PDB file of all heavy atoms in Angstrom:
ATOM      1  N   ILE A   1       0.871   5.098   3.634  1.00 98.00           N
ATOM      2  CA  ILE A   1       0.448   6.441   3.260  1.00 98.00           C
ATOM      3  C   ILE A   1       1.424   7.019   2.250  1.00 98.00           C
ATOM      4  O   ILE A   1       2.578   6.602   2.172  1.00 98.00           O
ATOM      5  CB  ILE A   1       0.302   7.369   4.486  1.00 98.00           C
ATOM      6  CG1 ILE A   1       1.621   7.522   5.236  1.00 98.00           C
ATOM      7  CG2 ILE A   1      -0.804   6.856   5.403  1.00 98.00           C
ATOM      8  CD1 ILE A   1       1.579   8.533   6.371  1.00 98.00           C
ATOM      9  N   MET A   2       0.922   7.970   1.485  1.00 97.00           N
ATOM     10  CA  MET A   2       1.756   8.589   0.456  1.00 97.00           C
ATOM     11  C   MET A   2       1.294  10.016   0.246  1.00 97.00           C
ATOM     12  O   MET A   2       0.174  10.374   0.619  1.00 97.00           O
ATOM     13  CB  MET A   2       1.694   7.787  -0.841  1.00 97.00           C
ATOM     14  CG  MET A   2       0.306   7.664  -1.428  1.00 97.00           C
ATOM     15  SD  MET A   2       0.034   6.148  -2.381  1.00 97.00           S
ATOM     16  CE  MET A   2      -0.389   4.996  -1.089  1.00 97.00           C
ATOM     17  N   GLY A   3       2.156  10.815  -0.360  1.00 95.00           N
ATOM     18  CA  GLY A   3       1.874  12.224  -0.543  1.00 95.00           C
ATOM     19  C   GLY A   3       0.850  12.530  -1.613  1.00 95.00           C
ATOM     20  O   GLY A   3       0.159  13.546  -1.537  1.00 95.00           O
ATOM     21  N   SER A   4       0.739  11.664  -2.609  1.00 94.00           N
ATOM     22  CA  SER A   4      -0.236  11.897  -3.674  1.00 94.00           C
ATOM     23  C   SER A   4      -0.532  10.598  -4.403  1.00 94.00           C
ATOM     24  O   SER A   4       0.200   9.608  -4.250  1.00 94.00           O
ATOM     25  CB  SER A   4       0.266  12.953  -4.671  1.00 94.00           C
ATOM     26  OG  SER A   4       1.327  12.437  -5.449  1.00 94.00           O
ATOM     27  N   THR A   5      -1.579  10.617  -5.216  1.00 95.00           N
ATOM     28  CA  THR A   5      -1.955   9.409  -5.953  1.00 95.00           C
ATOM     29  C   THR A   5      -0.867   8.996  -6.939  1.00 95.00           C
ATOM     30  O   THR A   5      -0.779   7.825  -7.303  1.00 95.00           O
ATOM     31  CB  THR A   5      -3.285   9.600  -6.709  1.00 95.00           C
ATOM     32  OG1 THR A   5      -3.175  10.753  -7.548  1.00 95.00           O
ATOM     33  CG2 THR A   5      -4.447   9.775  -5.747  1.00 95.00           C
ATOM     34  N   SER A   6      -0.019   9.936  -7.350  1.00 94.00           N
ATOM     35  CA  SER A   6       1.053   9.580  -8.288  1.00 94.00           C
ATOM     36  C   SER A   6       2.077   8.637  -7.650  1.00 94.00           C
ATOM     37  O   SER A   6       2.838   7.981  -8.356  1.00 94.00           O
ATOM     38  CB  SER A   6       1.750  10.840  -8.814  1.00 94.00           C
ATOM     39  OG  SER A   6       2.402  11.529  -7.759  1.00 94.00           O
ATOM     40  N   ASP A   7       2.087   8.539  -6.315  1.00 95.00           N
ATOM     41  CA  ASP A   7       2.989   7.629  -5.616  1.00 95.00           C
ATOM     42  C   ASP A   7       2.448   6.197  -5.548  1.00 95.00           C
ATOM     43  O   ASP A   7       3.181   5.266  -5.230  1.00 95.00           O
ATOM     44  CB  ASP A   7       3.252   8.119  -4.181  1.00 95.00           C
ATOM     45  CG  ASP A   7       3.904   9.481  -4.129  1.00 95.00           C
ATOM     46  OD1 ASP A   7       4.673   9.816  -5.052  1.00 95.00           O
ATOM     47  OD2 ASP A   7       3.653  10.221  -3.156  1.00 95.00           O
ATOM     48  N   LEU A   8       1.156   6.028  -5.846  1.00 97.00           N
ATOM     49  CA  LEU A   8       0.525   4.715  -5.678  1.00 97.00           C
ATOM     50  C   LEU A   8       1.167   3.594  -6.506  1.00 97.00           C
ATOM     51  O   LEU A   8       1.324   2.487  -5.981  1.00 97.00           O
ATOM     52  CB  LEU A   8      -0.978   4.794  -5.967  1.00 97.00           C
ATOM     53  CG  LEU A   8      -1.768   3.513  -5.722  1.00 97.00           C
ATOM     54  CD1 LEU A   8      -1.602   3.021  -4.283  1.00 97.00           C
ATOM     55  CD2 LEU A   8      -3.240   3.727  -6.043  1.00 97.00           C
ATOM     56  N   PRO A   9       1.582   3.821  -7.758  1.00 97.00           N
ATOM     57  CA  PRO A   9       2.202   2.701  -8.483  1.00 97.00           C
ATOM     58  C   PRO A   9       3.426   2.124  -7.760  1.00 97.00           C
ATOM     59  O   PRO A   9       3.652   0.912  -7.797  1.00 97.00           O
ATOM     60  CB  PRO A   9       2.588   3.326  -9.830  1.00 97.00           C
ATOM     61  CG  PRO A   9       1.598   4.428 -10.024  1.00 97.00           C
ATOM     62  CD  PRO A   9       1.371   4.988  -8.636  1.00 97.00           C
ATOM     63  N   VAL A  10       4.190   2.957  -7.092  1.00 97.00           N
ATOM     64  CA  VAL A  10       5.342   2.471  -6.321  1.00 97.00           C
ATOM     65  C   VAL A  10       4.861   1.824  -5.024  1.00 97.00           C
ATOM     66  O   VAL A  10       5.274   0.717  -4.670  1.00 97.00           O
ATOM     67  CB  VAL A  10       6.326   3.624  -6.007  1.00 97.00           C
ATOM     68  CG1 VAL A  10       7.378   3.198  -4.990  1.00 97.00           C
ATOM     69  CG2 VAL A  10       6.990   4.103  -7.290  1.00 97.00           C
ATOM     70  N   MET A  11       3.979   2.496  -4.307  1.00 98.00           N
ATOM     71  CA  MET A  11       3.539   2.033  -2.995  1.00 98.00           C
ATOM     72  C   MET A  11       2.684   0.778  -3.065  1.00 98.00           C
ATOM     73  O   MET A  11       2.550   0.054  -2.077  1.00 98.00           O
ATOM     74  CB  MET A  11       2.791   3.151  -2.275  1.00 98.00           C
ATOM     75  CG  MET A  11       3.647   4.403  -2.044  1.00 98.00           C
ATOM     76  SD  MET A  11       5.196   4.065  -1.180  1.00 98.00           S
ATOM     77  CE  MET A  11       4.564   3.702   0.451  1.00 98.00           C
ATOM     78  N   GLN A  12       2.140   0.472  -4.239  1.00 98.00           N
ATOM     79  CA  GLN A  12       1.327  -0.732  -4.411  1.00 98.00           C
ATOM     80  C   GLN A  12       2.131  -1.986  -4.071  1.00 98.00           C
ATOM     81  O   GLN A  12       1.567  -2.979  -3.589  1.00 98.00           O
ATOM     82  CB  GLN A  12       0.785  -0.811  -5.844  1.00 98.00           C
ATOM     83  CG  GLN A  12      -0.232  -1.907  -6.051  1.00 98.00           C
ATOM     84  CD  GLN A  12      -1.511  -1.699  -5.260  1.00 98.00           C
ATOM     85  OE1 GLN A  12      -2.078  -0.612  -5.268  1.00 98.00           O
ATOM     86  NE2 GLN A  12      -1.962  -2.733  -4.569  1.00 98.00           N
ATOM     87  N   ASP A  13       3.447  -1.951  -4.295  1.00 98.00           N
ATOM     88  CA  ASP A  13       4.285  -3.113  -3.965  1.00 98.00           C
ATOM     89  C   ASP A  13       4.224  -3.428  -2.470  1.00 98.00           C
ATOM     90  O   ASP A  13       4.205  -4.597  -2.078  1.00 98.00           O
ATOM     91  CB  ASP A  13       5.733  -2.880  -4.395  1.00 98.00           C
ATOM     92  CG  ASP A  13       5.930  -2.945  -5.895  1.00 98.00           C
ATOM     93  OD1 ASP A  13       5.047  -3.465  -6.603  1.00 98.00           O
ATOM     94  OD2 ASP A  13       6.984  -2.461  -6.365  1.00 98.00           O
ATOM     95  N   ALA A  14       4.206  -2.393  -1.625  1.00 98.00           N
ATOM     96  CA  ALA A  14       4.100  -2.620  -0.177  1.00 98.00           C
ATOM     97  C   ALA A  14       2.729  -3.189   0.169  1.00 98.00           C
ATOM     98  O   ALA A  14       2.618  -4.133   0.963  1.00 98.00           O
ATOM     99  CB  ALA A  14       4.341  -1.320   0.589  1.00 98.00           C
ATOM    100  N   ILE A  15       1.700  -2.630  -0.430  1.00 98.00           N
ATOM    101  CA  ILE A  15       0.334  -3.101  -0.180  1.00 98.00           C
ATOM    102  C   ILE A  15       0.209  -4.567  -0.561  1.00 98.00           C
ATOM    103  O   ILE A  15      -0.317  -5.385   0.207  1.00 98.00           O
ATOM    104  CB  ILE A  15      -0.673  -2.229  -0.962  1.00 98.00           C
ATOM    105  CG1 ILE A  15      -0.630  -0.778  -0.464  1.00 98.00           C
ATOM    106  CG2 ILE A  15      -2.083  -2.812  -0.883  1.00 98.00           C
ATOM    107  CD1 ILE A  15      -1.285   0.228  -1.404  1.00 98.00           C
ATOM    108  N   ASP A  16       0.722  -4.919  -1.729  1.00 98.00           N
ATOM    109  CA  ASP A  16       0.618  -6.294  -2.215  1.00 98.00           C
ATOM    110  C   ASP A  16       1.363  -7.284  -1.327  1.00 98.00           C
ATOM    111  O   ASP A  16       0.846  -8.368  -1.018  1.00 98.00           O
ATOM    112  CB  ASP A  16       1.130  -6.391  -3.655  1.00 98.00           C
ATOM    113  CG  ASP A  16       0.255  -5.655  -4.651  1.00 98.00           C
ATOM    114  OD1 ASP A  16      -0.906  -5.314  -4.322  1.00 98.00           O
ATOM    115  OD2 ASP A  16       0.743  -5.395  -5.778  1.00 98.00           O
ATOM    116  N   ILE A  17       2.578  -6.931  -0.921  1.00 98.00           N
ATOM    117  CA  ILE A  17       3.362  -7.870  -0.105  1.00 98.00           C
ATOM    118  C   ILE A  17       2.713  -8.049   1.263  1.00 98.00           C
ATOM    119  O   ILE A  17       2.660  -9.159   1.798  1.00 98.00           O
ATOM    120  CB  ILE A  17       4.855  -7.460  -0.013  1.00 98.00           C
ATOM    121  CG1 ILE A  17       5.722  -8.646   0.431  1.00 98.00           C
ATOM    122  CG2 ILE A  17       5.090  -6.300   0.931  1.00 98.00           C
ATOM    123  CD1 ILE A  17       6.154  -9.553  -0.662  1.00 98.00           C
ATOM    124  N   LEU A  18       2.186  -6.964   1.843  1.00 98.00           N
ATOM    125  CA  LEU A  18       1.520  -7.067   3.144  1.00 98.00           C
ATOM    126  C   LEU A  18       0.268  -7.934   3.049  1.00 98.00           C
ATOM    127  O   LEU A  18       0.028  -8.778   3.927  1.00 98.00           O
ATOM    128  CB  LEU A  18       1.175  -5.678   3.669  1.00 98.00           C
ATOM    129  CG  LEU A  18       2.379  -4.848   4.112  1.00 98.00           C
ATOM    130  CD1 LEU A  18       2.006  -3.375   4.226  1.00 98.00           C
ATOM    131  CD2 LEU A  18       2.953  -5.377   5.410  1.00 98.00           C
ATOM    132  N   LYS A  19      -0.514  -7.746   1.998  1.00 98.00           N
ATOM    133  CA  LYS A  19      -1.704  -8.586   1.816  1.00 98.00           C
ATOM    134  C   LYS A  19      -1.306 -10.045   1.621  1.00 98.00           C
ATOM    135  O   LYS A  19      -2.002 -10.951   2.072  1.00 98.00           O
ATOM    136  CB  LYS A  19      -2.544  -8.080   0.652  1.00 98.00           C
ATOM    137  CG  LYS A  19      -3.279  -6.792   0.985  1.00 98.00           C
ATOM    138  CD  LYS A  19      -4.141  -6.318  -0.160  1.00 98.00           C
ATOM    139  CE  LYS A  19      -4.915  -5.069   0.237  1.00 98.00           C
ATOM    140  NZ  LYS A  19      -5.765  -4.562  -0.847  1.00 98.00           N
ATOM    141  N   GLY A  20      -0.157 -10.277   0.975  1.00 97.00           N
ATOM    142  CA  GLY A  20       0.345 -11.634   0.803  1.00 97.00           C
ATOM    143  C   GLY A  20       0.705 -12.301   2.127  1.00 97.00           C
ATOM    144  O   GLY A  20       0.669 -13.525   2.243  1.00 97.00           O
ATOM    145  N   PHE A  21       1.045 -11.488   3.124  1.00 98.00           N
ATOM    146  CA  PHE A  21       1.320 -11.993   4.474  1.00 98.00           C
ATOM    147  C   PHE A  21       0.060 -11.978   5.339  1.00 98.00           C
ATOM    148  O   PHE A  21       0.128 -12.210   6.545  1.00 98.00           O
ATOM    149  CB  PHE A  21       2.414 -11.157   5.159  1.00 98.00           C
ATOM    150  CG  PHE A  21       3.791 -11.364   4.612  1.00 98.00           C
ATOM    151  CD1 PHE A  21       4.547 -10.279   4.185  1.00 98.00           C
ATOM    152  CD2 PHE A  21       4.366 -12.626   4.538  1.00 98.00           C
ATOM    153  CE1 PHE A  21       5.829 -10.447   3.689  1.00 98.00           C
ATOM    154  CE2 PHE A  21       5.645 -12.805   4.046  1.00 98.00           C
ATOM    155  CZ  PHE A  21       6.380 -11.719   3.614  1.00 98.00           C
ATOM    156  N   ASP A  22      -1.091 -11.685   4.730  1.00 97.00           N
ATOM    157  CA  ASP A  22      -2.380 -11.601   5.439  1.00 97.00           C
ATOM    158  C   ASP A  22      -2.367 -10.553   6.547  1.00 97.00           C
ATOM    159  O   ASP A  22      -2.940 -10.756   7.623  1.00 97.00           O
ATOM    160  CB  ASP A  22      -2.806 -12.962   5.998  1.00 97.00           C
ATOM    161  CG  ASP A  22      -3.081 -13.970   4.898  1.00 97.00           C
ATOM    162  OD1 ASP A  22      -3.679 -13.577   3.873  1.00 97.00           O
ATOM    163  OD2 ASP A  22      -2.695 -15.143   5.059  1.00 97.00           O
ATOM    164  N   ILE A  23      -1.695  -9.433   6.281  1.00 98.00           N
ATOM    165  CA  ILE A  23      -1.665  -8.311   7.219  1.00 98.00           C
ATOM    166  C   ILE A  23      -2.651  -7.262   6.721  1.00 98.00           C
ATOM    167  O   ILE A  23      -2.630  -6.904   5.541  1.00 98.00           O
ATOM    168  CB  ILE A  23      -0.242  -7.717   7.327  1.00 98.00           C
ATOM    169  CG1 ILE A  23       0.706  -8.768   7.918  1.00 98.00           C
ATOM    170  CG2 ILE A  23      -0.243  -6.436   8.163  1.00 98.00           C
ATOM    171  CD1 ILE A  23       2.177  -8.365   7.877  1.00 98.00           C
ATOM    172  N   GLU A  24      -3.487  -6.795   7.619  1.00 98.00           N
ATOM    173  CA  GLU A  24      -4.458  -5.765   7.260  1.00 98.00           C
ATOM    174  C   GLU A  24      -3.727  -4.472   6.904  1.00 98.00           C
ATOM    175  O   GLU A  24      -2.761  -4.085   7.568  1.00 98.00           O
ATOM    176  CB  GLU A  24      -5.418  -5.512   8.421  1.00 98.00           C
ATOM    177  CG  GLU A  24      -6.545  -4.580   8.081  1.00 98.00           C
ATOM    178  CD  GLU A  24      -7.514  -4.375   9.235  1.00 98.00           C
ATOM    179  OE1 GLU A  24      -7.461  -5.128  10.230  1.00 98.00           O
ATOM    180  OE2 GLU A  24      -8.322  -3.434   9.129  1.00 98.00           O
ATOM    181  N   VAL A  25      -4.176  -3.811   5.842  1.00 98.00           N
ATOM    182  CA  VAL A  25      -3.517  -2.605   5.345  1.00 98.00           C
ATOM    183  C   VAL A  25      -4.528  -1.463   5.285  1.00 98.00           C
ATOM    184  O   VAL A  25      -5.634  -1.637   4.768  1.00 98.00           O
ATOM    185  CB  VAL A  25      -2.915  -2.822   3.935  1.00 98.00           C
ATOM    186  CG1 VAL A  25      -2.174  -1.589   3.460  1.00 98.00           C
ATOM    187  CG2 VAL A  25      -2.002  -4.037   3.911  1.00 98.00           C
ATOM    188  N   GLU A  26      -4.121  -0.331   5.812  1.00 98.00           N
ATOM    189  CA  GLU A  26      -4.893   0.900   5.675  1.00 98.00           C
ATOM    190  C   GLU A  26      -4.129   1.803   4.723  1.00 98.00           C
ATOM    191  O   GLU A  26      -2.957   2.080   4.952  1.00 98.00           O
ATOM    192  CB  GLU A  26      -5.026   1.573   7.051  1.00 98.00           C
ATOM    193  CG  GLU A  26      -5.702   2.920   7.012  1.00 98.00           C
ATOM    194  CD  GLU A  26      -5.764   3.566   8.386  1.00 98.00           C
ATOM    195  OE1 GLU A  26      -6.490   3.048   9.259  1.00 98.00           O
ATOM    196  OE2 GLU A  26      -5.072   4.581   8.581  1.00 98.00           O
ATOM    197  N   VAL A  27      -4.761   2.235   3.648  1.00 98.00           N
ATOM    198  CA  VAL A  27      -4.093   3.052   2.627  1.00 98.00           C
ATOM    199  C   VAL A  27      -4.732   4.431   2.612  1.00 98.00           C
ATOM    200  O   VAL A  27      -5.961   4.551   2.648  1.00 98.00           O
ATOM    201  CB  VAL A  27      -4.205   2.396   1.232  1.00 98.00           C
ATOM    202  CG1 VAL A  27      -3.503   3.231   0.174  1.00 98.00           C
ATOM    203  CG2 VAL A  27      -3.651   0.976   1.259  1.00 98.00           C
ATOM    204  N   ASP A  28      -3.882   5.477   2.546  1.00 98.00           N
ATOM    205  CA  ASP A  28      -4.422   6.833   2.514  1.00 98.00           C
ATOM    206  C   ASP A  28      -3.428   7.774   1.840  1.00 98.00           C
ATOM    207  O   ASP A  28      -2.235   7.473   1.745  1.00 98.00           O
ATOM    208  CB  ASP A  28      -4.708   7.321   3.935  1.00 98.00           C
ATOM    209  CG  ASP A  28      -5.800   8.389   3.997  1.00 98.00           C
ATOM    210  OD1 ASP A  28      -6.181   8.947   2.940  1.00 98.00           O
ATOM    211  OD2 ASP A  28      -6.261   8.672   5.114  1.00 98.00           O
ATOM    212  N   ILE A  29      -3.962   8.891   1.371  1.00 98.00           N
ATOM    213  CA  ILE A  29      -3.148   9.980   0.839  1.00 98.00           C
ATOM    214  C   ILE A  29      -3.055  11.023   1.945  1.00 98.00           C
ATOM    215  O   ILE A  29      -4.086  11.512   2.435  1.00 98.00           O
ATOM    216  CB  ILE A  29      -3.781  10.617  -0.423  1.00 98.00           C
ATOM    217  CG1 ILE A  29      -4.056   9.562  -1.502  1.00 98.00           C
ATOM    218  CG2 ILE A  29      -2.910  11.757  -0.941  1.00 98.00           C
ATOM    219  CD1 ILE A  29      -2.838   8.867  -2.052  1.00 98.00           C
TER     220      ILE A  29
END
């Protein structure tokens, strides 16, 4: 989760690494 869409470019790294470990990810603002 993040405070705004402007945080997504940074937070995408967490999403990508988790998907690389085949962990389900829920993303929200």
